[in-house]
Amino acid sequence: ICLVTAVFQSFFKVNNSFLMTSQSPKSYLVANLLLFSLIAIFTIGGLYIFDSVAGPLVGRLIATMVIGGWAYFRVVSTGGWVLNFALLRQSFEFNFFAFFYQLQQWLMNSFDKILLSIYLPMDQVGVYGFLTSCLIVIEFLLNGFYSSFSGKVV
């Protein structure tokens, strides 16, 4: 379920990149608010229906399938579907450092809990994970600032 969710979320991220580079802030805001709303509604609904961990997972899957499918058809209808290997190679070379940065972000956001689980009891790791999740608002703000500037820089 998580892998399929990630695939549809990646379609949405491509659409976000397209909206940023085309400098469409209203469409960017509406699309992200729609995704957030759908995830919240379907996650809560899934929890209510299934009353287990499967509920939020399936709810998020449904939400990302809806918005990811919409984003996929929007990007394909706007730009078409062409595979240009020379351009793809240039894109990988250009985006390598952004990929490396995202990989570091993932490591910083995930690996600390793995290391802490070696040295601390799991209940304390859970408290730490909850507290870092509460601070995610700051990360959203920083990512929003980064996204608003990177579109103009690129």
Side-chain angles (χ1 to χ4, degrees), residues 15-63:
N15 183 51
N16 272 352
S17 296
F18 176 72
L19 292 174
M20 281 190 310
T21 54
S22 66
Q23 296 184 357
S24 303
K26 290 180 185 176
S27 300
Y28 181 82
L29 177 67
V30 169
N32 281 289
L33 285 176
L34 182 63
L35 176 65
F36 176 77
S37 301
L38 286 176
I39 287 175
I41 290 167
F42 285 118
T43 299
I44 293 168
L47 185 61
Y48 181 74
I49 292 170
F50 289 103
D51 196 28
S52 72
V53 175
L57 288 174
V58 171
R60 186 176 176 98
L61 172 67
I62 293 169

Side-chain angles (χ1 to χ4, degrees), residues 2 4-7 16 23 58 62 70 75 88 106 116 131 138 144 146 154:
C2 291
V4 174
T5 301
V7 168
N16 272 352
Q23 296 184 357
V58 171
I62 293 169
W70 166 79
V75 169
L88 188 61
W106 175 78
L116 286 175
L131 291 175
I138 296 171
Y146 172 76
V154 171

Side-chain angles (χ1 to χ4, degrees), residues 19-123:
L19 292 174
M20 281 190 310
T21 54
S22 66
Q23 296 184 357
S24 303
K26 290 180 185 176
S27 300
Y28 181 82
L29 177 67
V30 169
N32 281 289
L33 285 176
L34 182 63
L35 176 65
F36 176 77
S37 301
L38 286 176
I39 287 175
I41 290 167
F42 285 118
T43 299
I44 293 168
L47 185 61
Y48 181 74
I49 292 170
F50 289 103
D51 196 28
S52 72
V53 175
L57 288 174
V58 171
R60 186 176 176 98
L61 172 67
I62 293 169
T64 55
M65 285 176 72
V66 168
I67 199 79
W70 166 79
Y72 176 78
F73 288 114
R74 185 179 186 287
V75 169
V76 169
S77 67
T78 303
W81 180 258
V82 177
L83 193 58
N84 184 342
F85 287 106
L87 186 61
L88 188 61
R89 183 171 178 249
Q90 287 178 341
S91 177
F92 281 135
E93 289 173 359
F94 180 78
N95 291 310
F96 174 74
F97 296 107
F99 169 73
F100 190 67
Y101 170 76
Q102 291 296 328
L103 189 61
Q104 288 175 335
Q105 290 294 320
W106 175 78
L107 263 167
M108 288 188 300
N109 291 330
S110 303
F111 201 67
D112 58 341
K113 293 167 195 73
I114 295 169
L115 287 177
L116 286 175
S117 67
I118 295 170
Y119 299 107
L120 295 175
M122 288 306 286
D123 59 341

